[in-house]
Amino acid sequence: MPAVSMTVNGKAVTGDVEARTLLVEFLRENLRLTGTHVGCDTSQCGACVVHVDGKAVKSCTILAAQASGSTVVTIEGLANGADLHPVQAAFREHHGLQCGFCTPGMIMTAVDIVNRKGNSLDEHTIRTELEGNLCRCTGYHNIVKAIAAGAEAMGQEPVAQAAE
Ligand code: FES
Ligand code: FES
């Protein structure tokens, strides 16, 4: 069994995994970080998005062994203690979720969009960038509003930084 080691939400972790173990399985089953969800087996839904070395990655698409040595941030690592990350707060404020299953992946993707595209996001950009994240409940309207608001809030001080 390969041993993997990585930094997850600011902590050094190690584990023995099978060669076929996916990163999402390592996070959920070895580390019990169950905020990262599995919503499909076709790499389409985006419920499993985490950040690997600062970039959004569908954690069902890479092996745990491939992520060894990386810095990973999951939804559990986004808040600053009791203070929600601005994008999390915006989802709450703008009712950007219903059942919540897609929400961790939506939020991790949203933070990545802001990191790449800046704090002023128009609706077209947000909808285009969300192509890899599916939601069965909301119709996306409030998700788009929440991401636009969260992006703006990330540009204001003080900003809660992810542990990456
Ligand atoms: S679980 Fe659906 S894309 Fe990863
Ligand atoms: S809120 Fe239910 S899948 Fe998106």
Side-chain angles (χ1 to χ4, degrees):
M1 280 197 178
V4 295
S5 59
M6 61 189 83
T7 302
V8 179
N9 299 336
K11 287 189 197 145
V13 299
T14 58
D16 292 324
V17 298
E18 294 185 46
R20 65 180 180 177
T21 300
L22 299 170
L23 177 59
V24 68
E25 295 170 330
F26 179 68
L27 294 171
R28 287 179 57 84
E29 291 164 28
N30 292 58
L31 304 184
R32 301 289 174 203
L33 292 171
T34 54
T36 302
H37 292 163
V38 178
C40 72
D41 56 11
T42 50
S43 301
Q44 285 179 308
C45 75
C48 63
V49 171
V50 299
H51 293 180
V52 177
D53 292 334
K55 294 194 174 127
V57 170
K58 289 179 173 176
S59 58
C60 71
T61 64
I62 67 169
L63 298 168
Q66 287 176 294
S68 195
S70 300
T71 297
V72 177
V73 178
T74 71
I75 190 70
E76 290 92 343
L78 218 50
N80 184 11
D83 295 330
L84 291 179
H85 185 280
V87 176
Q88 291 176 306
F91 267 70
R92 182 171 68 180
E93 188 175 338
H94 294 274
H95 308 289
L97 62 144
Q98 288 182 20
C99 81
F101 192 85
C102 69
T103 311
M106 287 284 180
I107 289 175
M108 298 310 287
T109 296
V111 173
D112 179 68
I113 297 169
V114 179
N115 289 341
R116 289 183 295 106
K117 301 269 178 184
N119 300 96
S120 214
L121 298 174
D122 61 33
E123 180 177 347
H124 177 73
T125 300
I126 295 170
R127 287 184 181 271
T128 302
E129 292 286 331
L130 279 187
E131 191 182 23
N133 290 76
L134 302 181
C135 176
R136 292 172 55 164
C137 306
T138 64
Y140 299 94
H141 185 67
N142 286 359
I143 290 175
V144 172
K145 277 194 343 198
I147 292 175
E152 273 189 34
M154 279 178 71
Q156 293 160 9
E157 294 294 328
V159 173
Q161 293 294 331
E164 57 188 357

